[in-house]
Amino acid sequence: MLLLALAAPVAFADWFSDARAMMGTEVSVHLWSDDPEAGRLALEAVFQEAARIDRLMSTYKDESEISRINREAAQGGVAAGDELFALIQRSLDISVLTHGAFDITFDSVGQHYDFRARQRPDPQTIEIERERIDYRLVKLDKAAGTVRFLREGVRINLGGIAKGYVVERGIEILRRRGVQNAIVTAGGDSRLLGDRRGRPWMVGIRDPRNDGQVAISVPLADEAISTSGDYERYFDEDGVRYHHIIRPSTGEPAGGVQSATVFGPDAVLTDALSTSVFVMGVERGLTLIGRLPDYESIVIDDEGRVYYSDGLMPPAQHTVE
Ligand code: ADP
Ligand code: MG
């Protein structure tokens, strides 16, 4: 009996991981499972969910729901599914919260960048398209479930919030499958489920000017963390860095910051807030975070100096005689 039991195939509890290129970045899942088959199925379910959300929200796909809105919403209300409608609503609320630093209509200017091809809009294009950046030009009709643009040429792009949404949904799927320890990451956005089985996760914030190097490590459990950096998509030209985070008020890439990290309970919000803090800069950004209970931030400015939100500051040192 004993021998038989030992000879039977034994499934070991272990960590299971996978990473795939999607949404113009890398999505990765790392989880603990008592059962290898269940672990592998759970990994797969998260990637399927990411692909589904991408089909709904990618402006690179002509047939996506958001592309149809961008084509037709200036002519009249376009029906959006509940999920997309809700995320647009959240985006507009965050625009109000950040005084317009976060604005999904940045895309009228943003669409003219191609970072791989080193293409950027000329000043005249920026001048024209800038007039179309204003979240107040997006009108939602809750009863009808429709989105309408008040002006021709307005475009929306959820690039600053969709990855946080993928991560949040991915963790929810794992939780429902009984997973208790996991990390789901999409680009610069991660959500941690539980801890690393008895120890906190150590999450590294990248050194913005040294590829592959970690500038700061933070111990975290059960939390979301997002970093927005000027090194994700960019090209340098004549000493100027043209990157993917647009300041809505100027229509140009936001200066003054190399990276902004935000952590807190909800990955949708940390994603949008890291983009917002990047745009707002050290002072205004950290003031905003200081007003939000449960959210903290670490900002690295254009000289490489590191700033922490008040909640992360060590208590004042006492001198002992
Ligand atoms: P990453 O894509 O590297 O995770 P972010 O979360 O900061 O970084 O998202 C940057 C993306 O957000 C850009 O690629 C673009 O799609 C979008 N974006 C750029 N500027 C803004 C803005 N002012 N408000 C909202 N979204 C923006
Ligand atoms: Mg973001």
Side-chain angles (χ1 to χ4, degrees):
M1 276 305 279
L2 183 66
L3 265 181
L4 246 184
L6 281 176
V10 182
F12 290 105
D14 203 351
W15 292 104
F16 295 86
S17 309
D18 198 3
R20 294 185 195 169
M22 42 198 318
M23 306 183 84
T25 181
E26 186 178 89
V27 175
S28 68
V29 187
H30 182 63
L31 61 85
W32 178 269
S33 176
D34 296 333
D35 170 13
E37 182 59 13
R40 275 188 287 272
L41 287 173
L43 289 178
E44 192 56 40
V46 176
F47 291 115
Q48 291 301 326
E49 177 68 352
R52 185 189 68 80
I53 293 169
D54 191 32
R55 279 193 299 276
L56 196 62
M57 302 186 179
S58 171
T59 52
Y60 295 104
K61 296 181 165 54
D62 285 342
E63 71 283 10
S64 72
E65 219 177 280
I66 201 152
S67 292
R68 196 163 52 82
I69 290 171
N70 281 337
R71 277 193 303 271
E72 299 170 10
Q75 278 81 58
V78 177
D82 291 348
E83 204 177 4
L84 187 60
F85 189 94
L87 203 58
I88 295 173
Q89 177 71 69
R90 273 200 92 178
S91 299
L92 300 180
D93 292 345
I94 295 167
S95 295
V96 174
L97 177 74
T98 61
H99 305 289
F102 187 84
D103 192 328
I104 54 175
T105 65
F106 81 91
D107 200 49
S108 53
V109 171
Q111 65 174 330
H112 297 288
Y113 283 90
D114 183 337
F115 296 99
R116 249 177 258 166
R118 302 176 65 85
Q119 264 170 36
R120 60 184 174 90
D122 55 44
Q124 202 190 344
T125 306
I126 294 179
E127 207 46 47
I128 296 166
E129 297 283 24
R130 206 158 62 113
E131 299 299 311
R132 298 159 175 162
I133 302 182
D134 186 345
Y135 63 94
R136 287 162 292 206
L137 296 171
V138 180
K139 291 292 165 202
L140 295 178
D141 182 332
K142 200 162 172 92
T146 56
V147 183
R148 188 165 57 92
F149 298 154
L150 296 186
R151 197 179 292 171
E152 198 69 46
V154 172
R155 290 174 55 90
I156 56 173
N157 181 322
L158 297 172
I161 196 168
K163 287 194 273 297
Y165 184 67
V166 161
V167 160
E168 200 61 39
R169 291 282 314 160
I171 287 290
E172 188 50 38
I173 282 174
L174 295 181
R175 207 199 303 269
R176 269 192 264 127
R177 286 170 174 254
V179 174
Q180 291 176 329
N181 312 87
I183 304 184
V184 176
T185 299
D189 304 293
S190 296
R191 175 89 158 77
L192 316 173
L193 177 60
D195 62 5
R196 216 165 122 208
R197 295 182 54 78
R199 288 173 296 159
W201 304 98
M202 291 303 293
V203 181
I205 298 174
R206 207 174 118 169
D207 179 339
R209 292 296 177 268
N210 283 299
D211 215 359
Q213 303 272 37
V214 169
I216 300 157
S217 280
V218 206
L220 289 177
D222 256 326
E223 220 163 346
I225 177 164
S226 296
T227 299
S228 296
D230 66 0
Y231 47 80
E232 286 286 354
R233 286 166 219 228
Y234 72 95
F235 59 91
D236 291 320
E237 196 183 293
D238 301 328
V240 180
R241 175 154 298 196
Y242 295 94
H243 64 83
H244 68 149
I245 301 168
I246 306 293
R247 177 167 286 138
S249 57
T250 62
E252 314 231 21
V257 169
Q258 290 177 355
S259 88
T261 297
V262 173
F263 40 100
D266 177 4
V268 177
L269 202 48
T270 59
D271 186 6
L273 287 175
S274 69
T275 310
S276 310
V277 170
F278 193 107
V279 170
M280 295 171 94
V282 175
E283 235 185 84
R284 289 181 59 225
L286 291 181
T287 302
L288 167 72
I289 296 297
R291 293 201 337 251
L292 303 176
D294 305 328
Y295 287 83
E296 300 296 345
S297 177
I298 299 174
V299 186
I300 303 179
D301 77 3
D302 54 4
E303 314 254 4
R305 285 180 298 232
V306 182
Y307 300 83
Y308 298 86
S309 57
D310 286 345
L312 295 176
M313 291 306 232
Q317 297 287 309
H318 296 281
T319 358
V320 181
E321 295 283 320

